[in-house]
Amino acid sequence: MTWLKVLTLVFMIICFAINIVVLMQEGKQAGLSGTITGAADTYWGKNKGRSMEGKLINITRVLTVLFFVMAIVLNLPFLKY
């Protein structure tokens, strides 16, 4: 296996992982009740980084950066002028 095939396989795994993590996240729309009660003042709003939702957001960010880096790396051989 060449390095290009290995990187392509890793890229496909990253794409699949992004899809799974994004589908696991909850919706951001709180509706009318969220605007009245002020959802940012709740326990979950203060500790968002420690919750499962916060971890999913961080995983999504890391996978997205990896996705763009891998996309650029995989296209380098084709950028010959």
Side-chain angles (χ1 to χ4, degrees), residues 1-2 10 19 27 31 33 40 42 47 55 61 71-73 77 80:
M1 261 178 127
T2 64
V10 172
N19 284 318
S33 63
T42 65
N47 295 315
K55 290 178 184 175
R61 288 179 182 155
I72 292 170
V73 168
K80 298 176 185 176

Side-chain angles (χ1 to χ4, degrees), residues 23-42:
L23 288 174
M24 288 175 59
Q25 294 179 9
E26 296 177 6
K28 300 293 182 196
Q29 297 178 354
L32 185 58
S33 63
T35 58
I36 293 173
T37 60
D41 295 332
T42 65

Side-chain angles (χ1 to χ4, degrees), residues 37-55 58:
T37 60
D41 295 332
T42 65
Y43 174 77
W44 296 110
K46 293 178 184 175
N47 295 315
K48 195 171 194 175
R50 297 182 191 152
S51 68
M52 184 63 167
E53 184 68 22
K55 290 178 184 175
N58 289 337

